[in-house]
């Protein structure tokens, strides 16, 4: 009720136009109704400065709007210092009615309005046209994922560092690999990784297929070679049969390319759509605790969603985090603008994938939240706020599908 | 029919008594009907020299009869040089009828008579009175078995070296452990290990509980300590709850003793009773191929069953195998008689647990069979014989219960 009053009074108190200034100088050029929506069109769409700024952040991080155009000042011009609500006259009654209806529908859950900043996880991620997700391929991929014989030592499998029992990663700051060497960065989870637009902290692999080639060959990880992998698999009759089934019609199906295709196919099934938060998004109002809902609201209000958006709460884009000497994306592109940039990590199952950051230097989820708010958003969170956001993040822990968790019974490798 | 004729003619041709000699000198003293069965009682029980000698070997290796008493000679005295069949007069008709009945029943499978040298695997192994096998304990034990945080590095779990996907062991000659150090002996499978009378190659642990304490603390394996294990588990709230459920009524249930109790309880569920051979023993005549049945017959005929007997084909006793400088049991007892002695390994799932022997130096099952026949039985097998026995051993591969193969979803370890 109070909010409705504010909405209405804001409408009557404010004029549609704001004083000329930052908007005219920086924005009006493009926002001409052709290149981008006009001011009045924006004002009819966004009712508060906060909503408006969330969209601005999203557009900037997606590269759809240029950075550094004093958006905060422009927003103050449009919405006033207090972020008051503006409306154009057209269709006001309709919108007020719609707003009231929303209020009634979500009466039992005052946080329902934040749902729109998130997207439920689809059952499966996008599937590349050249790697169909057949049951035969997924079955084979699962065996390969769990088979340590793909590594030079025959000790390390994909599952060693991306342990399905441990949230799809290990518990290491940075992974331990061949000859007990340590990797350079914290292992990200394979769960829901098919939804990421690029793979690795620095995004150097565009697909899961390309990603899988990395750890298999990295000296500090599985330290294998395509030749070793192919030779070992060809020596095991059951694998020969399974590759034929998974890649029908191919004359010589046991190839390194097919190995990573099968692994990637399996990984695309490692999705966890049934977390409390996902259930909440789909309508189960009681799936979140009050603290988690408050945390969700803070997560939106403080603009975490500017980068942590989409079905896995990652925009899949690169953002600067000067944290240690790791220059991140720059190592891949050699473009100075990419220095210290890292792909936004997804947040599904984040509570079970400590430690955090690309060097795994932070153990506490609450601490990680505080650091991110300060470093990326310039906000100093109170302990209570950070705790609530961490509580919200805990609601993102889902369940790995049973089928993916059933260990295969791998064929023996003793010669006849 | 031919066999029946031999049986009958043997009876009429032979007298009940054999000439005095080795039997009188070495055996008759104990075989007086009080300490041990009399000669005529033995002759009414064993119909051929081969049956008789198999029992003798079993008794000797179990320590129930003294070694080195010229049993072969005594057997020749009792059964004649050709191992002819003897009978006492009593109940002859009955026995002949029973024998005929067996012939009819097993007409379709001439190898059925070898079944009696084996025992079907019970559903569960013996359970110690002080470690009841409750579902709560098994559930907890499974989590601990798969949790690498029990190791100092947080990388190595029980499942690393006793990988349920790989027949319950690794693929290593000797296991790779903490800081990439190698263990001294080949890792035995945990599958069906509850049926073994003692644990480890040298039998230094009497129970699975005691066994579990070893790798957890060994410097070249998990390199943990009871303190590390207890501290880490106590820091994870979900484990606190689960220990309370698994050990109800205990004030402080997270102890090292309870950790190994839970792991052992889980391990007692890792049984594979559904192999082709087990199905064969239970009546499914077609569960084995002809080659496997021939291999089984050779396995019995050559006396492999003298040591490889009981439900997991291990007598659980120690036998000499001078193979390399490893003195085996001697290291535990310091008794010179135990030099180079090792506990008979079980044979269930042997086809998927290469490489073989306590140093993992042999990759081929066929080769392992040949070596054992020569070293332990003084028999040089032909290639064909060894192949058939290896084929038989392949029929011992069973399926791990689904429940044990479903990876747990372990609680995260990030502090609140």
């Amino acid at each position: 009720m109070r909010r409705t009053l504010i909405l209405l009074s804001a409408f009557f108190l404010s004029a549609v136009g704001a004083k000329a200034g930052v908007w005219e100088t920086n924005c009006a050029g493009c926002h001409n109704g052709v290149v981008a929506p006009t001011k009045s069109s924006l004002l009819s769409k966004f009712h508060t400065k906060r909503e408006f700024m969330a969209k601005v952040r999203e557009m900037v991080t997606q590269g759809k709007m240029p950075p550094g155009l004093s958006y905060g000042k422009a927003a103050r011009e449009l919405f006033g210092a207090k972020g008051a609500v503006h409306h154009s006259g057209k269709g006001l009654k309709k919108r007020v009615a719609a707003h009231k209806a929303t209020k009634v529908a979500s009466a039992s859950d005052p946080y329902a309005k934040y749902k729109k900043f998130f997207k439920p996880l689809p059952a499966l991620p996008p599937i590349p046209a050249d790697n169909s997700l057949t049951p035969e391929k997924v079955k084979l991929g699962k065996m390969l994922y769990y088979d340590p014989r793909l590594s030079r030592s025959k000790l390390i499998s994909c599952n060693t560092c991306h342990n399905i029992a441990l949230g799809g990663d290990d518990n290491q700051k940075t992974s331990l690999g061949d000859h007990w060497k340590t990797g350079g960065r914290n292992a990200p989870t394979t769960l829901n990784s098919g939804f990421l637009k690029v793979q690795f902290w620095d995004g150097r692999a565009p697909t899961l297929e390309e990603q899988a080639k990395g750890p298999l060959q990295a000296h500090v990880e599985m330290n294998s070679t395509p030749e070793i992998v192919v030779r070992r698999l060809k020596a095991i009759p059951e694998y020969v049969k399974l590759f034929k089934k998974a890649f029908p019609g191919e004359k010589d199906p046991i190839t390194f390319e097919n190995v990573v295709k099968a692994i990637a196919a399996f990984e695309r099934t490692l999705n966890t759509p049934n977390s409390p938060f996902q259930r909440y998004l789909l309508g189960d109002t009681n799936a979140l605790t009050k603290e988690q809902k408050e945390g969700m609201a803070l997560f939106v209000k403080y603009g975490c969603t500017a980068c942590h958006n989409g079905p896995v709460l990652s925009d899949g884009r690169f953002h600067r985090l000067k944290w240690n000497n790791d220059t991140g994306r720059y190592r891949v592109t050699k473009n100075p603008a990419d220095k210290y940039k890292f792909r936004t990590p997804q947040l599904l199952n984040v509570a079970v994938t400590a430690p955090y950051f690309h060097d795994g230097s932070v153990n506490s989820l609450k601490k990680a939240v505080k650091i991110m708010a300060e470093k990326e958003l310039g906000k100093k969170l109170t302990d209570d706020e950070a705790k609530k956001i961490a509580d919200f993040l805990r609601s993102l822990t889902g369940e790995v599908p049973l089928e993916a968790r059933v260990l295969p019974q791998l064929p023996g490798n003793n010669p006849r």
Side-chain angles (χ1 to χ4, degrees), chain A:
Chain A
M1 188 60 198
R2 202 173 67 92
R3 201 178 149 83
T4 312
L5 281 176
I6 293 174
L7 271 166
L8 293 170
S9 50
F11 174 68
F12 291 113
L13 288 171
S14 76
V16 169
K19 276 174 236 130
V22 175
W23 173 267
E24 287 302 325
T25 321
N26 294 352
C27 316
C30 290
H31 285 273
N32 54 12
V34 181
V35 179
T38 60
K39 182 166 67 176
S40 58
S41 152
L42 289 173
L43 285 170
S44 75
K45 193 169 172 199
F46 297 100
H47 297 180
T48 69
K49 193 169 73 179
R50 190 163 279 147
E51 277 177 31
F52 176 78
M53 281 306 293
K55 185 65 182 176
V56 168
R57 278 188 213 103
E58 190 189 324
M59 299 291 278
V60 171
T61 53
Q62 289 176 6
K64 292 177 184 162
M65 272 165 60
L69 288 183
S70 308
Y71 292 111
K73 279 184 193 165
R76 271 201 295 284
E77 286 177 12
L78 295 183
F79 294 91
K82 296 199 172 181
V85 176
H86 292 242
H87 283 286
S88 73
K90 273 194 288 177
L92 172 66
K93 276 185 187 169
K94 236 194 210 168
R95 278 197 303 282
V96 169
H99 186 82
K100 277 184 177 167
T102 313
K103 292 284 285 183
V104 172
S106 62
S108 60
D109 179 18
Y111 297 94
K113 59 179 173 283
Y114 294 100
K115 281 189 193 179
K116 64 171 177 249
F117 293 93
F118 302 96
K119 279 181 189 160
L121 192 74
L124 283 172
I127 297 166
D130 65 347
N131 193 15
S132 56
L133 200 75
T134 63
E136 292 80 10
K137 210 183 282 169
V138 171
K139 182 192 170 186
L140 171 63
K142 182 170 104 168
M143 292 173 74
L144 296 170
Y145 187 92
Y146 283 111
D147 199 328
R149 289 170 293 191
L150 266 52
S151 66
R152 187 179 295 255
S153 65
K154 300 184 184 171
L155 180 73
I156 302 170
S157 68
C158 304
N159 193 61
T160 302
C161 299
H162 300 286
N163 192 332
I164 301 300
L166 280 170
D169 72 347
D170 47 17
N171 283 286
Q172 310 288 325
K173 288 177 109 173
T174 60
S175 298
L176 279 164
D178 196 68
H179 282 85
W180 214 254
K181 285 177 196 146
T182 48
R185 294 185 185 131
N186 182 260
T189 178
T190 44
L191 302 181
N192 309 293
S193 57
F195 290 95
L196 291 168
K197 287 165 192 160
V198 289
Q199 303 296 331
F200 290 118
W201 280 98
D202 56 16
R204 65 184 183 275
T207 62
L208 286 175
E209 284 80 358
E210 284 305 306
Q211 190 280 334
K213 291 179 185 173
L216 273 164
Q217 299 177 86
H219 281 242
V220 297
E221 300 184 50
M222 294 167 83
N223 196 19
S224 200
T225 65
E227 293 69 37
I228 290 176
V229 169
V230 167
R231 174 163 46 79
R232 288 197 187 153
L233 292 173
K234 283 189 173 175
I236 299 172
E238 196 175 325
Y239 269 125
V240 176
K241 275 185 225 160
L242 291 165
F243 270 88
K244 274 185 191 157
K245 280 186 192 166
F247 300 95
E250 293 193 23
K251 213 181 145 193
D252 183 24
I254 300 192
T255 63
F256 194 58
E257 290 296 327
N258 283 349
V259 167
V260 298
K261 274 187 175 179
I263 292 172
F266 169 62
E267 287 177 331
R268 289 194 178 95
T269 71
L270 295 177
N271 309 310
T272 62
N274 45 352
S275 66
F277 181 60
Q278 294 291 333
R279 293 200 303 272
Y280 177 72
L281 286 185
L282 296 170
D284 181 356
T285 302
N286 298 318
L288 298 193
T289 64
K290 190 166 174 296
E291 288 71 28
Q292 288 174 331
K293 288 178 187 170
E294 287 174 22
M296 171 183 67
L298 292 168
F299 190 86
V300 171
K301 284 179 184 169
Y302 285 147
C304 309
T305 42
C307 302
H308 290 290
N309 55 47
V312 296
L313 286 84
S314 165
D315 58 3
R317 302 182 69 84
F318 301 94
H319 302 285
R320 189 180 152 90
L321 179 68
K322 172 86 178 77
W323 182 246
N324 55 14
N325 290 332
D326 189 338
T327 50
R329 179 74 176 158
Y330 173 71
R331 287 204 217 161
V332 181
T333 63
K334 302 293 170 199
N335 176 355
D338 288 335
K339 263 196 181 168
Y340 306 111
K341 282 191 177 174
F342 295 91
R343 183 211 54 193
T344 311
Q346 63 155 318
L347 294 181
L348 302 199
N349 304 295
V350 67
V352 291
T353 58
Y356 303 112
F357 296 113
H358 56 263
D359 62 348
S361 57
V362 175
N363 278 313
S364 154
L365 185 53
K366 198 176 85 180
K367 197 175 160 194
V369 167
K370 276 190 170 184
I371 293 169
M372 284 306 286
E374 188 159 0
K375 285 246 171 200
E376 300 298 275
L377 302 166
K379 296 252 159 59
K380 253 188 123 59
L381 299 185
T382 66
D383 238 40
D384 185 58
E385 286 172 327
K387 192 191 159 299
K388 280 174 179 163
I389 293 179
D391 275 347
F392 161 60
L393 295 178
R394 283 196 180 82
S395 77
L396 301 176
T397 303
E399 251 190 46
V400 185
L402 183 69
E403 182 49 36
R405 288 161 57 204
V406 176
L407 283 180
Q409 293 208 270
L410 300 172
N413 61 337
N414 58 315
R416 290 239 154 206

